[in-house]
């Protein structure tokens, strides 16, 4: 499962960057750029940190890479465990020995992937469509990996 998920995630990352630099898709400006340059609110900053405080990331907005990777990972997990798999993520509860973020409970893998995409929208890094399409793209890549690569069972 780990090998399949890793292969799917890396293949999804390659596909993400192929789509980002496809001439049809790379004309979408990020929310931060739109607010500053089109609406003229030059002091506005996104909630999530970007590469520099005064500029959006220097690569195309569409599709969301986080969402594409999430889509690829959850598709592998769904194939093995089903989508109605409830779990709690405690990864950052005690981050670096300090109190970190609260534990996050999810009722399904899709719920986790949706939250990953939503965080990019709420953080004003991506548009909702970029996250939804990214997750769909990642899932398709994972389906291709799962139907193409065969692993030996022990």
């Amino acid at each position: 499962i780990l090998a399949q998920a890793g292969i799917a995630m890396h293949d999804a990352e390659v596909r993400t960057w192929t789509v980002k630099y496809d001439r049809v898709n790379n004309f979408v400006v990020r929310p931060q750029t739109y607010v500053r340059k089109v609406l003229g609110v030059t002091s506005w900053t996104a909630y999530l940190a970007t590469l520099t405080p005064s500029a959006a990331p220097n690569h195309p907005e569409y599709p969301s890479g986080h969402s594409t990777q999430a889509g690829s990972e959850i598709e592998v997990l769904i194939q093995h465990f089903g989508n109605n798999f409830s779990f709690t993520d405690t990864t950052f509860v005690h981050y670096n020995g300090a109190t970190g973020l609260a534990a996050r409970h999810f009722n399904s893998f899709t719920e986790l992937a949706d939250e990953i995409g939503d965080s990019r929208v709420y953080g004003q890094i991506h548009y909702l469509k970029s996250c939804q399409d990214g997750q769909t793209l990642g899932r398709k890549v994972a389906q291709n990996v799962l139907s193409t690569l065969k692993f030996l069972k022990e």
Side-chain angles (χ1 to χ4, degrees):
I1 295 170
L2 186 59
Q4 290 173 333
I7 292 167
M9 182 188 70
H10 289 308
D11 278 5
E13 185 70 11
V14 169
R15 188 66 185 131
T16 298
W17 288 97
T18 302
V19 174
K20 278 185 181 290
Y21 282 99
D22 176 4
R23 288 193 292 156
V24 173
N25 295 314
N26 69 1
F27 296 109
V28 179
V29 297
R30 291 180 181 274
Q32 181 171 332
T33 304
Y34 183 83
V35 170
R36 288 183 179 165
K37 293 186 177 178
V38 176
L39 299 180
V41 184
T42 57
S43 62
W44 184 86
T45 57
Y47 289 121
L48 293 179
T50 55
L51 296 177
T52 64
S54 62
N58 59 356
H59 53 271
E61 186 272 341
Y62 182 90
S64 162
H66 284 79
S67 299
T68 306
Q69 287 187 343
S72 68
E73 293 290 322
I74 65 137
E75 186 63 24
V76 171
L77 294 173
I78 288 170
Q79 292 301 314
H80 288 282
F81 300 109
N83 195 27
N84 295 324
F85 189 93
S86 140
F87 60 98
T88 301
D89 177 8
T90 60
T91 303
F92 294 105
V93 171
H94 298 289
Y95 188 64
N96 284 339
T99 302
L101 301 173
R104 304 287 303 141
H105 180 77
F106 300 97
N107 294 310
S108 68
F109 293 119
T110 299
E111 191 176 291
L112 168 64
D114 288 344
E115 185 169 296
I116 290 168
D118 289 347
S119 74
R120 310 309 287 169
V121 175
Y122 296 146
Q124 301 163 339
I125 301 296
H126 286 291
Y127 300 103
L128 181 59
K129 179 166 178 43
S130 299
C131 296
Q132 292 170 336
D133 289 359
Q135 187 181 140
T136 299
L137 175 62
R139 292 184 78 156
K140 286 180 181 178
V141 169
Q143 289 164 3
N144 185 48
V145 167
L146 292 168
S147 67
T148 304
L149 297 180
K150 301 302 176 202
F151 290 83
L152 298 175
K153 293 184 179 181
E154 293 185 19

